Amino acid sequence: MDLTMHDMAQAHPSISQTIGVILHLEGTTPTLGELRTHVASHLGHEPRVTHYLHGPGLKARWRHDPDPDLNHRVREQHLPSGEQHLEAALTDLVAHPLPDTGPLWDMWLLTGDAPGRYAICLRAHHSTQDGMGLIGTLTTLFGTAPAPTTQPAPRAGAGAYLGTVRSMIAASATNNVWNDNALPLTGQRDISWAHVPTQRLRQAATVRGGDTNDGFLATLSGALRTWTSQSWPRGADRPLPAITMVNLRRAEEHDRPGNYCTFAPAPLPCHEPTVEGRLDHVIAATRTAKDPTRHKAMRSVMDLVPARAFQALATRLTTPDRATITTSYLAIHRPLRYKQDPVTRIQPFNWLPRHQPASIVACSYNGTTSVCFVTDAALPGLNQLPRLFHDAVDQLPHPPNDRQVPGQPPHTGVTPPRPAADRNTATVIDFALIKKILVQQGSLPAAPITPQATQAQAGIDSLAVALLSMSLEDRMGIVITEHELAKAPTVADLVNLVAQQAASPSDHESPAEQGPHPQADRPHAVPEA
């Protein structure tokens, strides 16, 4: 996939493929020299910042630069006081060219907009970094816990391979939504952000069997439903064609440069008039993309299909009559910091492929989900998606006694703890629930999982513990580290631990408030930017 992105970049040099993240930190702003020294001390542990593709198109090969010029790549921009100046600087940085020689990345220290705060912007080319790669780089440079290890995905059957090929072909079918001759897509892009409480997205989806990513996609569907009814009749009252990016990076590839993601169709149910209906449609549509066997099949297809075939498919997707909305979702569970200064919020940003109407990426961290909207400026009113997204969040079902102001995250991105009495208790924590998660998410055989069984007897290994930890947080907002879960001697003890934590007010704390949280940065259905 990285060769395909590299070839596209050379074929269409005017189209930026820059992706990245903006870290918002609280503390004393470091000097530029201190930040360069910090980055230099990690270069040997982060191949993604010392490797780059060199050569023409699909014939490019990786080159290694062990000592990239940090005077050129780590730079500073001092801003006037005021949040609006930071927003303007970020918008300018997204469009600013990357270094044109050597490794394709840089880092910017943004200071002066507010006392006691500063920002660090990490940018990279999509041919050498994908979403999970960026998370890995952030973990190396600013992490508080080592990256987890995982085990190979389960074996995929013939049905998974056939379904993968069919879905990829279906995603590139003609849809005629965006090829309006009166308003052709120009490639000139607008970029903007929305910031919403993660708990609002999560709770609306989990009560219906989904997760935070499902809440994000259903909310996006509601925003686009409003926009099409007001400004784009060609897309009104119909599902909008969309693809969602899926992480395929294996455990042994966690630190490799390159692009290890593919796409899966995820039509947005903008025709559905009710928010509950949109949630149900999205949850059903993403279920396949979350299947570990389907992930295995997707990766095998990506490895076996020649790069030229992927290039042809990418070209097919970037024709106006087949254009789709691109969506991505990232979740970062480990708290990040620069030395002792905590990262309080993360803003992602993405690129807009050729002849595409919109690319939308969401990133959940520290209680806030930041959503970046990159849209084609030719589409009337589409630059208002952040406002429409906030409106759609307000329409999500509220759990009982929810005191969070709809659509308005705390300024620091931290969701304050709430009393246990305010907790959504729609889901009962019992043996049946924990077993269901272990079987469905951990791919464990059901028979050995009994209340009296030890974790070893039940087949609960480190991967299953990690998946259980992630599922509990995603589905119910219950934060229990893998280390804590692994201490439970038996399955019954494991169930009791989860039930006790569910009843405790401490489970409403964000990962950053609790200190280091060594959880896997999991892909959900769409972990790529």
Side-chain angles (χ1 to χ4, degrees):
M1 183 66 76
D2 36 81
L3 288 177
T4 299
M5 307 305 296
H6 179 74
D7 182 76
M8 291 174 64
Q10 292 188 339
H12 306 284
S14 63
I15 299 175
S16 169
Q17 290 190 22
T18 302
I19 66 172
V21 291
I22 303 113
L23 308 181
H24 296 264
L25 299 100
E26 293 185 351
T28 302
T29 304
T31 66
L32 188 57
E34 289 171 342
L35 183 58
R36 284 173 178 161
T37 299
H38 176 82
V39 174
S41 68
H42 291 84
L43 288 178
H45 308 288
E46 187 49 51
R48 281 173 285 253
V49 297
T50 57
H51 288 74
Y52 62 101
L53 284 167
H54 179 79
L58 300 179
K59 296 181 179 180
R61 295 294 180 265
W62 288 105
R63 283 194 174 180
H64 182 214
D65 181 357
D67 190 25
D69 182 5
L70 297 187
N71 290 325
H72 183 50
R73 281 186 171 74
V74 181
R75 303 170 70 182
E76 183 177 15
Q77 190 174 151
H78 188 78
L79 310 174
S81 178
E83 189 173 345
Q84 73 276 15
H85 296 294
L86 175 60
E87 198 75 12
L90 296 178
T91 301
D92 291 342
L93 267 182
V94 170
H96 189 74
L98 287 166
D100 56 4
T101 58
L104 299 177
W105 67 273
D106 64 11
M107 181 181 292
W108 291 79
L109 175 63
L110 304 173
T111 68
D113 61 295
R117 294 179 186 167
Y118 59 98
I120 295 175
C121 179
L122 174 64
R123 310 186 311 149
H125 195 277
H126 200 23
S127 64
T128 58
Q129 285 269 28
D130 54 25
M132 289 304 287
L134 273 175
I135 289 178
T137 301
L138 291 178
T139 300
T140 299
L141 296 177
F142 305 106
T144 59
T149 57
T150 57
Q151 296 179 356
R155 185 182 301 274
Y161 287 97
L162 182 60
T164 295
V165 174
R166 283 177 173 172
S167 67
M168 295 179 75
I169 294 173
S172 62
T174 301
N175 58 67
N176 294 317
V177 175
W178 309 107
N179 54 339
D180 188 333
N181 292 330
L183 290 169
L185 301 177
T186 64
Q188 181 181 353
R189 66 184 189 174
D190 292 319
I191 185 166
S192 51
W193 287 270
H195 312 287
V196 301
T198 301
Q199 194 73 346
R200 291 287 287 120
L201 303 176
R202 175 189 294 136
Q203 288 178 330
T206 54
V207 296
R208 309 184 77 83
D211 59 20
T212 310
N213 176 52
D214 294 323
F216 154 61
L217 292 177
T219 304
L220 176 61
S221 300
L224 287 167
R225 173 179 169 82
T226 301
W227 173 74
T228 53
S229 67
Q230 295 174 350
S231 305
W232 198 252
R234 294 172 70 94
D237 294 319
R238 60 169 290 181
L240 287 184
I243 57 174
T244 186
M245 305 310 294
V246 183
N247 173 54
L248 300 178
R249 190 179 289 267
R250 298 185 180 118
E252 65 272 16
E253 299 164 339
H254 72 92
D255 62 350
R256 289 186 188 176
N259 195 304
Y260 290 84
C261 65
T262 189
F263 63 87
L268 300 173
C270 304
H271 63 295
E272 175 56 55
T274 68
V275 63
E276 292 82 5
R278 291 190 289 273
L279 282 163
D280 290 342
H281 273 278
V282 165
I283 291 167
T286 61
R287 187 171 293 123
T288 298
K290 298 170 186 173
D291 185 348
T293 60
R294 180 60 69 92
H295 279 203
K296 177 72 172 180
M298 288 178 178
R299 179 55 192 265
S300 297
V301 169
M302 189 176 80
D303 289 342
L304 295 173
V305 173
R308 291 193 180 277
F310 265 108
Q311 180 193 38
L313 185 59
T315 301
R316 182 182 174 95
L317 275 169
T318 54
T319 56
D321 58 339
R322 304 174 191 273
T324 66
I325 294 171
T326 301
T327 67
S328 304
Y329 177 74
L330 299 163
I332 301 177
H333 287 291
R334 297 189 198 91
L336 303 176
R337 61 173 59 97
Y338 170 75
K339 296 186 177 178
Q340 298 305 311
D341 296 348
V343 175
T344 58
R345 181 161 58 89
I346 294 179
Q347 281 180 256
F349 57 88
N350 206 2
W351 69 297
L352 184 63
R354 183 169 175 257
H355 292 149
Q356 300 297 294
S359 179
I360 302 159
V361 56
C363 179
S364 295
Y365 172 79
N366 196 26
T368 292
T369 296
S370 292
V371 186
C372 177
F373 302 87
V374 187
T375 58
D376 194 294
L379 297 172
L382 196 56
N383 60 352
Q384 296 300 308
L385 265 182
R387 176 179 60 81
L388 298 177
F389 191 87
H390 274 281
D391 292 344
V393 169
D394 291 346
Q395 297 169 12
L396 292 173
H398 283 267
N401 302 317
D402 186 359
R403 298 175 183 173
Q404 175 69 54
V405 178
Q408 298 296 323
H411 183 73
T412 62
V414 176
T415 303
R418 295 179 299 162
D422 287 352
R423 178 171 183 80
N424 175 18
T425 56
T427 302
V428 177
I429 308 298
D430 59 9
F431 169 75
L433 173 68
I434 301 303
K435 180 173 182 176
K436 180 179 179 181
I437 294 174
L438 291 170
V439 172
Q440 293 185 352
Q441 302 298 318
S443 300
L444 299 183
I449 305 176
T450 64
Q452 294 75 30
T454 65
Q455 291 201 34
Q457 291 169 341
I460 303 174
D461 54 19
S462 59
L463 175 59
V465 170
L467 292 170
L468 175 61
S469 178
M470 291 183 284
S471 295
L472 290 171
E473 180 171 353
D474 242 13
R475 294 184 178 189
M476 288 154 273
I478 301 172
V479 178
I480 312 179
T481 68
E482 298 163 36
H483 179 69
E484 292 174 309
L485 290 172
K487 286 182 177 180
T490 67
V491 175
D493 294 323
L494 188 63
V495 174
N496 289 335
L497 172 63
V498 176
Q500 290 170 5
Q501 188 72 3
S504 168
S506 64
D507 68 283
H508 295 288
E509 296 175 357
S510 69
E513 289 174 312
Q514 292 185 335
H517 183 208
Q519 262 193 338
D521 296 320
R522 46 84 179 91
H524 279 290
V526 285
E528 299 301 339

